[in-house]
Amino acid sequence: MRIYNTMTRQKEEFVPVDKDEVKIYACGPTVYNFIHIGNARPLCVFDVLRRYLEYRGMNVKFVQNFTDVDDKIIKRANEEGSTFEEISKEYIDEFWTDAHGLNFKDASVHPKATENIDEIIDIISSLEEKGYAYSVDGDVYFRTLRFKEYGKLSHQPIEDLQSGARIAVGEKKEDPLDFALWKAAKEGEPYWESPWGKGRPGWHIECSAMNRRYLGKTIDIHCGGQDLIFPHHENEIAQSECANGCTFSKYWMHNGYINVDNVKMSKSLGNFKTVREIADAYGYEVIRYFLISSHYRSPINYSLDIIEQCKAALDRLYTCRESLDFALKNAKNTEDDDSLIDLVNSRRDQFITAMDDDLNTADGIAAIFELTKDVNTKILDKDVSKNVVNAAITVFDELCGVLGLLYNRKSNDIDDEIEKLIEQRQQARANKDWALADKIRDDLKAKGIILKDTPHGVTWTKE
């Protein structure tokens, strides 16, 4: 597999540091509100990355954190007369509702910043001992210019970064580029005891601490949204490599931005879309399909028209899969058509080729739709063997499973009452009792069961 490494700006062959385990860290949400579709894109994209590596036989340790103490969380708590613990717990619970709705597989570990204070303090102390950090009145800052490779991920010259840096009111930094590792507690804020007094961690240091604790000093892949490249990931690299004395992450993967009606999504523009509000209207699976239907590094555009197109595409996949179930039920143990089995298996190869090329889910989905076309034109309209149908089902389920799609399939078990009604209708049609056949069809429709007569028998779908 080749992946595009943000650090080198080129595709590279993926070779894990440890052949027995792939270590991946994905930056998780700051939990003070519902997640938006911008948060959901890396959630779905890198869930697919993990699923694909596992599909290819790799053992993956996947870590995604929660930032559960932060200025925004504290502000929300103060506005609601609550505590930061209550706010973070509330929105972690809401996160799980959305994440599981999107069919996100739980990470190997979901650490919280507040659970790793000792590790954070240990790293900051190490940086201070090595001269990379300094304290001023309870605040601790990282000496950015001491790390000569600063800017290597964002590919920005240090001069450009310096020209855009500022010292905020109340900060006592040696240099505008220096960033906070530890913040002295203000009145009414949560705090932990530390060598520098009462305070709490800065945002960047928590990810370095959780990476090292749960994955080690060097990991395989660090991933997240494009907006995290600078300053968050740049700062993670600086503090981690200075503290640990080795490469922090071998590969860096970043997904592109989301536009809404061709305008970049932002709270200030009022075009901010939460996963929950879209899911209430269209369901979660349409959102997942939308978020992985384009190459992860490309910007994608959200609009109602596009969501409707995604819904139609999913419906087509569901219909094909249900038709395969029906075909299997009616297939005979006839002679296998090896050419059809080879065709079906070629779609697996096509899918793997696409996904091996920098996780190209767009072309991967195209392979599934080629398989769907094969099924509809070369399998469902012929008297093929059960082995051919089973081969199609196996490949179809494999590929959709890697992408985390078709997870809302109805049960194969039809209620006894519905089965009986379908059989009665078939008998009525055989007896040319069209009035009874129509009545049974209408009764089933009233129950949300839609019948479709085909040359091979009756198929059904649920509204």
Side-chain angles (χ1 to χ4, degrees), residues 36 41 64 171 186 222 297 406 408 444:
H36 52 72
R41 190 177 192 192
Q64 184 182 55
E171 289 185 321
K186 298 177 183 176
H222 199 312
R297 286 192 287 116
L406 268 60
N408 288 312
L444 286 170

Side-chain angles (χ1 to χ4, degrees), residues 90-159:
E90 175 185 354
Y91 287 106
I92 286 175
D93 290 344
E94 298 292 359
F95 166 86
W96 283 123
T97 296
D98 289 334
H100 289 153
L102 292 166
N103 200 26
F104 172 77
K105 286 179 62 175
D106 291 3
S108 309
V109 188
H110 280 282
K112 302 181 182 71
T114 57
E115 297 171 342
N116 291 275
I117 299 299
D118 289 345
E119 183 75 17
I120 289 169
I121 290 173
D122 184 61
I123 291 179
I124 296 173
S125 297
S126 173
L127 289 169
E128 191 174 38
E129 289 171 9
K130 294 178 179 180
Y132 289 108
Y134 59 94
S135 61
V136 183
D137 298 333
D139 292 326
V140 184
Y141 296 100
F142 182 84
R143 285 191 173 98
T144 301
L145 295 181
R146 284 288 302 274
F147 182 58
K148 301 304 181 185
E149 294 181 280
Y150 193 77
K152 65 179 179 178
L153 181 68
S154 55
H155 302 279
Q156 299 184 69
I158 197 73
E159 296 79 12

Side-chain angles (χ1 to χ4, degrees), residues 10-216:
Q10 62 185 11
K11 291 180 186 178
E12 299 177 2
E13 192 71 27
F14 176 61
V15 181
V17 175
D18 180 350
K19 63 182 176 64
D20 295 325
E21 184 177 65
V22 177
K23 299 175 182 179
I24 303 176
Y25 187 93
C27 286
T30 300
V31 284
Y32 70 101
N33 205 340
F34 293 97
I35 63 170
H36 52 72
I37 54 174
N39 304 132
R41 190 177 192 192
L43 194 71
C44 293
V45 163
F46 299 118
D47 178 62
V48 171
L49 172 67
R50 175 202 186 171
R51 287 170 182 263
Y52 182 65
L53 293 175
E54 289 174 342
Y55 173 67
R56 297 303 302 276
M58 300 181 194
N59 178 34
V60 179
K61 186 171 185 181
F62 186 83
V63 177
Q64 184 182 55
N65 73 300
F66 289 113
T67 297
D68 61 339
V69 62
D70 173 88
D71 291 343
K72 294 173 182 176
I73 298 172
I74 295 168
K75 181 175 183 290
R76 185 72 179 256
N78 291 337
E79 290 171 351
E80 297 187 7
S82 183
T83 65
F84 87 93
E85 294 100 335
E86 291 170 330
I87 293 297
S88 62
K89 182 183 183 307
E90 175 185 354
Y91 287 106
I92 286 175
D93 290 344
E94 298 292 359
F95 166 86
W96 283 123
T97 296
D98 289 334
H100 289 153
L102 292 166
N103 200 26
F104 172 77
K105 286 179 62 175
D106 291 3
S108 309
V109 188
H110 280 282
K112 302 181 182 71
T114 57
E115 297 171 342
N116 291 275
I117 299 299
D118 289 345
E119 183 75 17
I120 289 169
I121 290 173
D122 184 61
I123 291 179
I124 296 173
S125 297
S126 173
L127 289 169
E128 191 174 38
E129 289 171 9
K130 294 178 179 180
Y132 289 108
Y134 59 94
S135 61
V136 183
D137 298 333
D139 292 326
V140 184
Y141 296 100
F142 182 84
R143 285 191 173 98
T144 301
L145 295 181
R146 284 288 302 274
F147 182 58
K148 301 304 181 185
E149 294 181 280
Y150 193 77
K152 65 179 179 178
L153 181 68
S154 55
H155 302 279
Q156 299 184 69
I158 197 73
E159 296 79 12
D160 293 349
L161 296 173
Q162 286 176 310
S163 66
R166 298 288 184 273
I167 297 180
V169 175
E171 289 185 321
K172 302 175 181 178
K173 299 189 291 187
E174 293 176 356
D175 188 273
L177 269 181
D178 295 349
F179 56 89
L181 300 170
W182 188 261
K183 298 180 178 181
K186 298 177 183 176
E187 186 67 29
E189 287 188 349
Y191 64 83
W192 287 262
E193 297 291 346
S194 80
W196 314 282
K198 296 176 180 179
R200 58 187 173 89
W203 175 34
H204 314 297
I205 193 66
E206 68 181 68
C207 286
S208 288
M210 288 183 273
N211 263 287
R212 190 168 83 172
R213 177 177 177 182
Y214 297 101
L215 294 174

